[in-house]
Amino acid sequence: MTAPNPASDKAFDEVLEIRLPDERATAALASAVAAALEPGTSIHLSGDLGAGKTAFARALLVALGHRGRVKSPTFTLLEPYNLSNFDLYHFDYYRLSSERAWLDAGFDEYLDGRGVVVIEWPEMAGDTLPAPDLRLRIDFDPDAGDDARRVELL
């Protein structure tokens, strides 16, 4: 018998689906999530390429009071942000060369409970990541228009 992957959809009992008609709705969702964040929180963002994972992370940072530029960590893998209440570490694992590459890079030290961790493409780490506190799957919603997204909160 195989142990369940804590980062997979099957590890969660309930799924809440939200339809977001535009980027403003994505920002509103990010703002609601931001209000509940505290050090030690881990968020995983999955979904279609270009569907809005980085846009959600950017809106989350703005809602938390960050006023500077929010860069995508696609090539750097990590963008750290020093906020007033805690540090936020924004990861993008899309370009990981192996499931253990994040561990080999020492990124596990950021999961020490002192900051908030947001990881795009956590599935690239396989089952080596601890289970998140919140997982969002963001996908295009082609039936609702070009800017519309469907988000599953797990």
Side-chain angles (χ1 to χ4, degrees):
M1 182 166 151
T2 304
N5 175 356
S8 76
D9 292 344
K10 295 178 179 112
F12 297 88
D13 294 325
E14 297 181 32
V15 175
L16 173 63
E17 185 175 299
I18 299 174
R19 304 248 176 194
L20 303 174
D22 53 31
E23 198 166 332
R24 281 185 34 204
T26 300
L29 175 61
S31 182
V33 170
L37 293 180
E38 57 186 39
T41 303
S42 176
I43 300 172
H44 290 181
L45 303 174
S46 297
D48 295 331
L49 185 64
K53 294 177 290 297
T54 300
F56 177 87
R58 184 175 293 120
L60 185 72
L61 281 157
V62 168
L64 290 168
H66 179 72
R67 297 292 173 239
R69 184 169 178 231
V70 176
K71 298 183 288 183
S72 171
T74 298
F75 294 102
T76 59
L77 300 181
L78 166 64
E79 289 294 335
Y81 297 92
N82 183 270
L83 305 171
S84 61
N85 294 333
F86 48 76
D87 291 334
L88 185 142
Y89 304 103
H90 181 195
F91 292 93
D92 187 329
Y93 286 175
Y94 183 72
R95 298 187 186 284
L96 288 183
S97 59
S98 73
E99 291 181 353
R100 293 192 45 84
W102 73 278
L103 288 166
D104 296 340
F107 291 160
D108 55 324
E109 72 184 55
Y110 294 97
L111 303 177
D112 63 4
R114 290 184 285 172
V116 170
V117 175
V118 176
I119 301 174
E120 296 185 40
W121 297 98
E123 56 274 15
M124 300 303 284
D127 62 358
T128 62
L129 279 173
D133 297 297
L134 176 64
R135 180 163 185 224
L136 281 75
R137 176 159 184 92
I138 305 172
D139 291 304
F140 294 104
D141 191 355
D143 297 331
D146 291 342
D147 294 334
R149 301 296 187 260
R150 182 182 67 248
V151 178
E152 293 178 345
L153 286 84
L154 309 160

